[in-house]
């Protein structure tokens, strides 16, 4: 028998914060699988925001993940599970930069559970995590052709800055681009102080 219950947004935030924890090396294979499924899976079970038709191949592999972690020692690779030993449901990368500005990336949730609003809850928990550690702004990059994903972030308070960053066409570690018009748009959100 399943019991359904409803919680407010603030209660949902408290629940997921308890389950958002730093990734350890034993989590890396699951993180890599989840990111590749979330970003690149095609066909039935694909995410609504997959990069199908834009980039093919892996989004992440073990050596790239380890290289990113080694090159960014202050970064936080966080995971979410419903239970401590349960399946990996989501992951997010947070990297503090200067002046309280943090970079957010690799926000990924299991596509088959997207109807549980895990993405927006994980995003809110990541923002709180960064804010509790001094962040006052979150920045990210999204590929220019991903209008639906950009709109999703805008509904969560992110705005386009007008800045762009080049797509790494010469670096096949992130997959093989299928288009020649790709670049990244920079989005940001100012974090407001939460009153307790």
């Amino acid at each position: 028998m399943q019991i359904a219950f409803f919680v407010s947004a603030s209660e949902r935030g408290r629940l997921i914060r308890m389950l958002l924890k730093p990734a350890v090396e034993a989590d890396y294979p699951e993180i890599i699988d989840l990111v590749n499924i979330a970003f690149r899976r095609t066909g039935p079970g694909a995410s609504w925001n997959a990069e199908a038709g834009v980039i093919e191949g892996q989004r992440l592999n073990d050596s790239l993940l380890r290289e990113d972690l080694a090159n960014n020692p202050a970064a936080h690779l966080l995971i979410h599970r419903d239970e401590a030993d349960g399946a990996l449901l989501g992951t997010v990368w947070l990297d503090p930069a200067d002046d309280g500005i943090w970079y957010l990336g690799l926000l990924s949730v299991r596509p088959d559970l997207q109807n549980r609003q895990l993405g927006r809850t994980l995003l809110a928990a990541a923002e709180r995590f960064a804010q509790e550690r001094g962040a006052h702004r979150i920045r990210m990059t999204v590929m220019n052709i991903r209008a639906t994903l950009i709109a999703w972030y805008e509904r969560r308070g992110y705005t386009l800055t007008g800045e762009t960053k080049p797509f790494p066409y010469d670096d096949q570690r992130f997959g093989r681009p299928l288009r020649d018009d790709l670049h990244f748009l920079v989005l940001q959100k100012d974090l407001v102080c939460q009153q307790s």
Side-chain angles (χ1 to χ4, degrees), residues 57-94:
Q58 288 186 320
R59 167 62 180 84
L60 188 63
N61 61 44
D62 187 72
S63 63
L64 183 57
L65 177 60
R66 289 175 188 278
E67 180 182 326
D68 284 346
L69 289 166
N71 290 339
N72 301 283
H76 301 269
L77 181 58
L78 304 171
I79 61 171
H80 167 62
R81 300 176 188 274
D82 271 342
E83 300 172 8
D85 294 329
L88 181 65
L89 303 183
T91 189
V92 64
W93 172 279
L94 289 166

mmCIF file of all heavy atoms in Angstrom, residues 57-94:
data_model
loop_
_atom_site.group_PDB
_atom_site.id
_atom_site.type_symbol
_atom_site.label_atom_id
_atom_site.label_comp_id
_atom_site.label_asym_id
_atom_site.label_seq_id
_atom_site.Cartn_x
_atom_site.Cartn_y
_atom_site.Cartn_z
ATOM 1 N N GLY A 57 27.088 10.814 -28.388
ATOM 2 C CA GLY A 57 28.192 10.282 -27.594
ATOM 3 C C GLY A 57 27.993 10.598 -26.130
ATOM 4 O O GLY A 57 26.964 11.130 -25.716
ATOM 5 N N GLN A 58 28.975 10.263 -25.341
ATOM 6 C CA GLN A 58 28.888 10.466 -23.899
ATOM 7 C C GLN A 58 29.003 11.934 -23.532
ATOM 8 O O GLN A 58 29.768 12.683 -24.136
ATOM 9 C CB GLN A 58 30.007 9.717 -23.190
ATOM 10 C CG GLN A 58 29.848 8.228 -23.178
ATOM 11 C CD GLN A 58 30.924 7.579 -22.326
ATOM 12 O OE1 GLN A 58 32.072 7.980 -22.348
ATOM 13 N NE2 GLN A 58 30.523 6.577 -21.558
ATOM 14 N N ARG A 59 28.262 12.328 -22.514
ATOM 15 C CA ARG A 59 28.400 13.667 -21.938
ATOM 16 C C ARG A 59 29.500 13.678 -20.881
ATOM 17 O O ARG A 59 30.149 14.682 -20.657
ATOM 18 C CB ARG A 59 27.055 14.102 -21.326
ATOM 19 C CG ARG A 59 27.093 15.318 -20.425
ATOM 20 C CD ARG A 59 27.552 16.547 -21.190
ATOM 21 N NE ARG A 59 27.596 17.723 -20.346
ATOM 22 C CZ ARG A 59 28.602 18.078 -19.550
ATOM 23 N NH1 ARG A 59 29.677 17.311 -19.448
ATOM 24 N NH2 ARG A 59 28.564 19.181 -18.851
ATOM 25 N N LEU A 60 29.678 12.524 -20.215
ATOM 26 C CA LEU A 60 30.628 12.442 -19.115
ATOM 27 C C LEU A 60 31.212 11.041 -19.067
ATOM 28 O O LEU A 60 30.519 10.064 -19.365
ATOM 29 C CB LEU A 60 29.903 12.751 -17.785
ATOM 30 C CG LEU A 60 30.736 12.906 -16.527
ATOM 31 C CD1 LEU A 60 31.681 14.098 -16.630
ATOM 32 C CD2 LEU A 60 29.826 13.076 -15.319
ATOM 33 N N ASN A 61 32.480 10.949 -18.712
ATOM 34 C CA ASN A 61 33.115 9.657 -18.480
ATOM 35 C C ASN A 61 33.986 9.770 -17.231
ATOM 36 O O ASN A 61 34.154 10.853 -16.670
ATOM 37 C CB ASN A 61 33.905 9.174 -19.709
ATOM 38 C CG ASN A 61 35.020 10.114 -20.084
ATOM 39 O OD1 ASN A 61 35.761 10.609 -19.235
ATOM 40 N ND2 ASN A 61 35.149 10.395 -21.377
ATOM 41 N N ASP A 62 34.527 8.661 -16.795
ATOM 42 C CA ASP A 62 35.287 8.624 -15.549
ATOM 43 C C ASP A 62 36.488 9.563 -15.580
ATOM 44 O O ASP A 62 36.715 10.313 -14.634
ATOM 45 C CB ASP A 62 35.726 7.186 -15.250
ATOM 46 C CG ASP A 62 36.359 7.073 -13.878
ATOM 47 O OD1 ASP A 62 35.621 7.159 -12.874
ATOM 48 O OD2 ASP A 62 37.605 6.917 -13.812
ATOM 49 N N SER A 63 37.255 9.534 -16.651
ATOM 50 C CA SER A 63 38.462 10.370 -16.685
ATOM 51 C C SER A 63 38.104 11.857 -16.716
ATOM 52 O O SER A 63 38.778 12.674 -16.071
ATOM 53 C CB SER A 63 39.364 9.996 -17.869
ATOM 54 O OG SER A 63 38.711 10.224 -19.088
ATOM 55 N N LEU A 64 37.048 12.228 -17.422
ATOM 56 C CA LEU A 64 36.641 13.633 -17.463
ATOM 57 C C LEU A 64 36.136 14.098 -16.098
ATOM 58 O O LEU A 64 36.479 15.199 -15.639
ATOM 59 C CB LEU A 64 35.562 13.831 -18.525
ATOM 60 C CG LEU A 64 35.081 15.252 -18.753
ATOM 61 C CD1 LEU A 64 36.235 16.170 -19.122
ATOM 62 C CD2 LEU A 64 34.020 15.266 -19.845
ATOM 63 N N LEU A 65 35.355 13.267 -15.426
ATOM 64 C CA LEU A 65 34.861 13.621 -14.099
ATOM 65 C C LEU A 65 36.032 13.814 -13.129
ATOM 66 O O LEU A 65 36.100 14.810 -12.399
ATOM 67 C CB LEU A 65 33.905 12.554 -13.571
ATOM 68 C CG LEU A 65 33.372 12.784 -12.159
ATOM 69 C CD1 LEU A 65 32.607 14.094 -12.067
ATOM 70 C CD2 LEU A 65 32.488 11.613 -11.740
ATOM 71 N N ARG A 66 36.959 12.872 -13.135
ATOM 72 C CA ARG A 66 38.114 12.976 -12.231
ATOM 73 C C ARG A 66 38.989 14.191 -12.566
ATOM 74 O O ARG A 66 39.495 14.868 -11.678
ATOM 75 C CB ARG A 66 38.933 11.695 -12.271
ATOM 76 C CG ARG A 66 38.217 10.529 -11.612
ATOM 77 C CD ARG A 66 39.001 9.226 -11.763
ATOM 78 N NE ARG A 66 38.239 8.095 -11.305
ATOM 79 C CZ ARG A 66 38.130 7.716 -10.037
ATOM 80 N NH1 ARG A 66 38.760 8.385 -9.090
ATOM 81 N NH2 ARG A 66 37.400 6.673 -9.713
ATOM 82 N N GLU A 67 39.140 14.476 -13.841
ATOM 83 C CA GLU A 67 39.910 15.650 -14.255
ATOM 84 C C GLU A 67 39.230 16.935 -13.777
ATOM 85 O O GLU A 67 39.886 17.842 -13.256
ATOM 86 C CB GLU A 67 40.053 15.660 -15.778
ATOM 87 C CG GLU A 67 40.843 16.831 -16.318
ATOM 88 C CD GLU A 67 40.912 16.805 -17.835
ATOM 89 O OE1 GLU A 67 40.965 15.708 -18.430
ATOM 90 O OE2 GLU A 67 40.900 17.908 -18.421
ATOM 91 N N ASP A 68 37.909 17.018 -13.953
ATOM 92 C CA ASP A 68 37.172 18.202 -13.497
ATOM 93 C C ASP A 68 37.295 18.381 -11.984
ATOM 94 O O ASP A 68 37.479 19.495 -11.495
ATOM 95 C CB ASP A 68 35.695 18.114 -13.887
ATOM 96 C CG ASP A 68 35.459 18.413 -15.362
ATOM 97 O OD1 ASP A 68 36.375 18.936 -16.026
ATOM 98 O OD2 ASP A 68 34.353 18.115 -15.845
ATOM 99 N N LEU A 69 37.183 17.291 -11.249
ATOM 100 C CA LEU A 69 37.312 17.370 -9.790
ATOM 101 C C LEU A 69 38.717 17.795 -9.375
ATOM 102 O O LEU A 69 38.887 18.615 -8.472
ATOM 103 C CB LEU A 69 36.935 16.035 -9.152
ATOM 104 C CG LEU A 69 35.445 15.683 -9.201
ATOM 105 C CD1 LEU A 69 35.222 14.208 -8.871
ATOM 106 C CD2 LEU A 69 34.652 16.582 -8.260
ATOM 107 N N ALA A 70 39.728 17.260 -10.044
ATOM 108 C CA ALA A 70 41.113 17.617 -9.717
ATOM 109 C C ALA A 70 41.409 19.075 -10.061
ATOM 110 O O ALA A 70 42.125 19.758 -9.326
ATOM 111 C CB ALA A 70 42.078 16.695 -10.454
ATOM 112 N N ASN A 71 40.850 19.553 -11.167
ATOM 113 C CA ASN A 71 41.095 20.931 -11.599
ATOM 114 C C ASN A 71 40.273 21.958 -10.831
ATOM 115 O O ASN A 71 40.526 23.157 -10.938
ATOM 116 C CB ASN A 71 40.817 21.079 -13.094
ATOM 117 C CG ASN A 71 41.851 20.364 -13.943
ATOM 118 O OD1 ASN A 71 42.959 20.094 -13.493
ATOM 119 N ND2 ASN A 71 41.480 20.038 -15.162
ATOM 120 N N ASN A 72 39.263 21.501 -10.103
ATOM 121 C CA ASN A 72 38.369 22.398 -9.370
ATOM 122 C C ASN A 72 38.207 21.898 -7.935
ATOM 123 O O ASN A 72 37.130 21.435 -7.544
ATOM 124 C CB ASN A 72 37.008 22.475 -10.070
ATOM 125 C CG ASN A 72 37.132 22.975 -11.483
ATOM 126 O OD1 ASN A 72 37.309 24.156 -11.709
ATOM 127 N ND2 ASN A 72 37.058 22.056 -12.441
ATOM 128 N N PRO A 73 39.267 21.971 -7.129
ATOM 129 C CA PRO A 73 39.228 21.363 -5.795
ATOM 130 C C PRO A 73 38.191 21.980 -4.853
ATOM 131 O O PRO A 73 37.785 21.334 -3.889
ATOM 132 C CB PRO A 73 40.649 21.561 -5.264
ATOM 133 C CG PRO A 73 41.218 22.672 -6.069
ATOM 134 C CD PRO A 73 40.546 22.603 -7.416
ATOM 135 N N ALA A 74 37.725 23.188 -5.127
ATOM 136 C CA ALA A 74 36.713 23.811 -4.264
ATOM 137 C C ALA A 74 35.289 23.442 -4.678
ATOM 138 O O ALA A 74 34.330 23.757 -3.979
ATOM 139 C CB ALA A 74 36.868 25.327 -4.285
ATOM 140 N N ALA A 75 35.151 22.754 -5.808
ATOM 141 C CA ALA A 75 33.825 22.407 -6.321
ATOM 142 C C ALA A 75 33.151 21.354 -5.444
ATOM 143 O O ALA A 75 33.821 20.574 -4.753
ATOM 144 C CB ALA A 75 33.923 21.899 -7.755
ATOM 145 N N HIS A 76 31.835 21.344 -5.500
ATOM 146 C CA HIS A 76 31.019 20.381 -4.765
ATOM 147 C C HIS A 76 30.218 19.572 -5.781
ATOM 148 O O HIS A 76 29.403 20.138 -6.508
ATOM 149 C CB HIS A 76 30.047 21.084 -3.824
ATOM 150 C CG HIS A 76 30.711 21.960 -2.824
ATOM 151 N ND1 HIS A 76 31.086 21.517 -1.576
ATOM 152 C CD2 HIS A 76 31.083 23.271 -2.894
ATOM 153 C CE1 HIS A 76 31.640 22.513 -0.918
ATOM 154 N NE2 HIS A 76 31.665 23.581 -1.681
ATOM 155 N N LEU A 77 30.464 18.284 -5.834
ATOM 156 C CA LEU A 77 29.649 17.379 -6.637
ATOM 157 C C LEU A 77 28.678 16.728 -5.659
ATOM 158 O O LEU A 77 29.088 15.974 -4.778
ATOM 159 C CB LEU A 77 30.523 16.335 -7.335
ATOM 160 C CG LEU A 77 29.800 15.334 -8.224
ATOM 161 C CD1 LEU A 77 29.013 16.031 -9.339
ATOM 162 C CD2 LEU A 77 30.794 14.342 -8.820
ATOM 163 N N LEU A 78 27.406 17.061 -5.796
ATOM 164 C CA LEU A 78 26.395 16.627 -4.835
ATOM 165 C C LEU A 78 25.452 15.629 -5.474
ATOM 166 O O LEU A 78 25.197 15.676 -6.676
ATOM 167 C CB LEU A 78 25.601 17.841 -4.335
ATOM 168 C CG LEU A 78 26.438 18.962 -3.729
ATOM 169 C CD1 LEU A 78 25.575 20.181 -3.472
ATOM 170 C CD2 LEU A 78 27.120 18.493 -2.463
ATOM 171 N N ILE A 79 24.923 14.733 -4.648
ATOM 172 C CA ILE A 79 23.988 13.720 -5.132
ATOM 173 C C ILE A 79 22.737 13.726 -4.270
ATOM 174 O O ILE A 79 22.736 14.196 -3.139
ATOM 175 C CB ILE A 79 24.620 12.310 -5.134
ATOM 176 C CG1 ILE A 79 25.040 11.893 -3.724
ATOM 177 C CG2 ILE A 79 25.792 12.249 -6.110
ATOM 178 C CD1 ILE A 79 25.466 10.438 -3.609
ATOM 179 N N HIS A 80 21.671 13.189 -4.832
ATOM 180 C CA HIS A 80 20.411 13.036 -4.104
ATOM 181 C C HIS A 80 19.915 11.601 -4.288
ATOM 182 O O HIS A 80 19.858 11.090 -5.394
ATOM 183 C CB HIS A 80 19.358 14.012 -4.606
ATOM 184 C CG HIS A 80 17.985 13.694 -4.111
ATOM 185 N ND1 HIS A 80 17.664 13.711 -2.776
ATOM 186 C CD2 HIS A 80 16.874 13.319 -4.764
ATOM 187 C CE1 HIS A 80 16.398 13.369 -2.636
ATOM 188 N NE2 HIS A 80 15.901 13.123 -3.828
ATOM 189 N N ARG A 81 19.564 10.988 -3.171
ATOM 190 C CA ARG A 81 18.936 9.668 -3.142
ATOM 191 C C ARG A 81 17.726 9.774 -2.224
ATOM 192 O O ARG A 81 17.747 10.523 -1.255
ATOM 193 C CB ARG A 81 19.889 8.611 -2.583
ATOM 194 C CG ARG A 81 21.178 8.449 -3.364
ATOM 195 C CD ARG A 81 22.118 7.438 -2.682
ATOM 196 N NE ARG A 81 23.424 7.403 -3.309
ATOM 197 C CZ ARG A 81 23.737 6.662 -4.370
ATOM 198 N NH1 ARG A 81 22.829 5.879 -4.904
ATOM 199 N NH2 ARG A 81 24.946 6.692 -4.880
ATOM 200 N N ASP A 82 16.650 9.021 -2.508
ATOM 201 C CA ASP A 82 15.499 9.007 -1.600
ATOM 202 C C ASP A 82 15.894 8.438 -0.249
ATOM 203 O O ASP A 82 15.415 8.868 0.785
ATOM 204 C CB ASP A 82 14.349 8.179 -2.177
ATOM 205 C CG ASP A 82 13.420 9.019 -3.041
ATOM 206 O OD1 ASP A 82 13.458 10.259 -2.935
ATOM 207 O OD2 ASP A 82 12.647 8.440 -3.817
ATOM 208 N N GLU A 83 16.776 7.445 -0.281
ATOM 209 C CA GLU A 83 17.256 6.799 0.942
ATOM 210 C C GLU A 83 18.771 6.741 0.866
ATOM 211 O O GLU A 83 19.344 6.770 -0.214
ATOM 212 C CB GLU A 83 16.684 5.384 1.052
ATOM 213 C CG GLU A 83 15.164 5.344 1.091
ATOM 214 C CD GLU A 83 14.631 3.927 0.998
ATOM 215 O OE1 GLU A 83 15.430 2.969 1.048
ATOM 216 O OE2 GLU A 83 13.412 3.787 0.867
ATOM 217 N N ALA A 84 19.406 6.619 2.001
ATOM 218 C CA ALA A 84 20.866 6.647 2.041
ATOM 219 C C ALA A 84 21.508 5.638 1.097
ATOM 220 O O ALA A 84 22.497 5.937 0.440
ATOM 221 C CB ALA A 84 21.354 6.410 3.471
ATOM 222 N N ASP A 85 20.949 4.442 1.003
ATOM 223 C CA ASP A 85 21.510 3.423 0.124
ATOM 224 C C ASP A 85 20.657 3.201 -1.120
ATOM 225 O O ASP A 85 20.834 2.209 -1.827
ATOM 226 C CB ASP A 85 21.657 2.093 0.888
ATOM 227 C CG ASP A 85 22.675 2.200 2.002
ATOM 228 O OD1 ASP A 85 23.640 2.981 1.844
ATOM 229 O OD2 ASP A 85 22.510 1.520 3.037
ATOM 230 N N GLY A 86 19.728 4.106 -1.375
ATOM 231 C CA GLY A 86 18.831 3.962 -2.523
ATOM 232 C C GLY A 86 19.506 4.338 -3.831
ATOM 233 O O GLY A 86 20.672 4.761 -3.866
ATOM 234 N N ALA A 87 18.758 4.203 -4.895
ATOM 235 C CA ALA A 87 19.262 4.534 -6.223
ATOM 236 C C ALA A 87 19.541 6.032 -6.333
ATOM 237 O O ALA A 87 18.873 6.850 -5.696
ATOM 238 C CB ALA A 87 18.245 4.120 -7.285
ATOM 239 N N LEU A 88 20.510 6.376 -7.143
ATOM 240 C CA LEU A 88 20.830 7.774 -7.393
ATOM 241 C C LEU A 88 19.701 8.397 -8.206
ATOM 242 O O LEU A 88 19.340 7.901 -9.266
ATOM 243 C CB LEU A 88 22.151 7.879 -8.159
ATOM 244 C CG LEU A 88 22.635 9.291 -8.475
ATOM 245 C CD1 LEU A 88 22.971 10.039 -7.189
ATOM 246 C CD2 LEU A 88 23.836 9.232 -9.389
ATOM 247 N N LEU A 89 19.137 9.489 -7.689
ATOM 248 C CA LEU A 89 18.018 10.150 -8.357
ATOM 249 C C LEU A 89 18.430 11.458 -9.018
ATOM 250 O O LEU A 89 17.795 11.901 -9.965
ATOM 251 C CB LEU A 89 16.898 10.430 -7.351
ATOM 252 C CG LEU A 89 16.348 9.222 -6.597
ATOM 253 C CD1 LEU A 89 15.202 9.643 -5.697
ATOM 254 C CD2 LEU A 89 15.923 8.130 -7.556
ATOM 255 N N GLY A 90 19.471 12.098 -8.492
ATOM 256 C CA GLY A 90 19.880 13.378 -9.056
ATOM 257 C C GLY A 90 21.286 13.740 -8.656
ATOM 258 O O GLY A 90 21.836 13.215 -7.680
ATOM 259 N N THR A 91 21.873 14.647 -9.428
ATOM 260 C CA THR A 91 23.214 15.137 -9.138
ATOM 261 C C THR A 91 23.330 16.577 -9.619
ATOM 262 O O THR A 91 22.598 17.001 -10.518
ATOM 263 C CB THR A 91 24.294 14.235 -9.785
ATOM 264 O OG1 THR A 91 25.579 14.621 -9.314
ATOM 265 C CG2 THR A 91 24.263 14.313 -11.289
ATOM 266 N N VAL A 92 24.233 17.308 -9.006
ATOM 267 C CA VAL A 92 24.481 18.697 -9.393
ATOM 268 C C VAL A 92 25.911 19.065 -9.020
ATOM 269 O O VAL A 92 26.460 18.553 -8.046
ATOM 270 C CB VAL A 92 23.455 19.659 -8.739
ATOM 271 C CG1 VAL A 92 23.576 19.664 -7.222
ATOM 272 C CG2 VAL A 92 23.570 21.066 -9.294
ATOM 273 N N TRP A 93 26.507 19.934 -9.807
ATOM 274 C CA TRP A 93 27.868 20.427 -9.611
ATOM 275 C C TRP A 93 27.776 21.891 -9.216
ATOM 276 O O TRP A 93 27.107 22.680 -9.889
ATOM 277 C CB TRP A 93 28.618 20.284 -10.930
ATOM 278 C CG TRP A 93 29.975 20.899 -10.998
ATOM 279 C CD1 TRP A 93 30.287 22.209 -11.230
ATOM 280 C CD2 TRP A 93 31.229 20.229 -10.872
ATOM 281 N NE1 TRP A 93 31.641 22.390 -11.255
ATOM 282 C CE2 TRP A 93 32.235 21.184 -11.033
ATOM 283 C CE3 TRP A 93 31.578 18.904 -10.637
ATOM 284 C CZ2 TRP A 93 33.589 20.869 -10.974
ATOM 285 C CZ3 TRP A 93 32.924 18.590 -10.581
ATOM 286 C CH2 TRP A 93 33.915 19.555 -10.742
ATOM 287 N N LEU A 94 28.449 22.265 -8.146
ATOM 288 C CA LEU A 94 28.519 23.654 -7.706
ATOM 289 C C LEU A 94 29.975 24.032 -7.504
ATOM 290 O O LEU A 94 30.706 23.317 -6.823
ATOM 291 C CB LEU A 94 27.760 23.853 -6.393
ATOM 292 C CG LEU A 94 26.240 23.783 -6.478
ATOM 293 C CD1 LEU A 94 25.643 23.657 -5.085
ATOM 294 C CD2 LEU A 94 25.691 24.998 -7.202
#
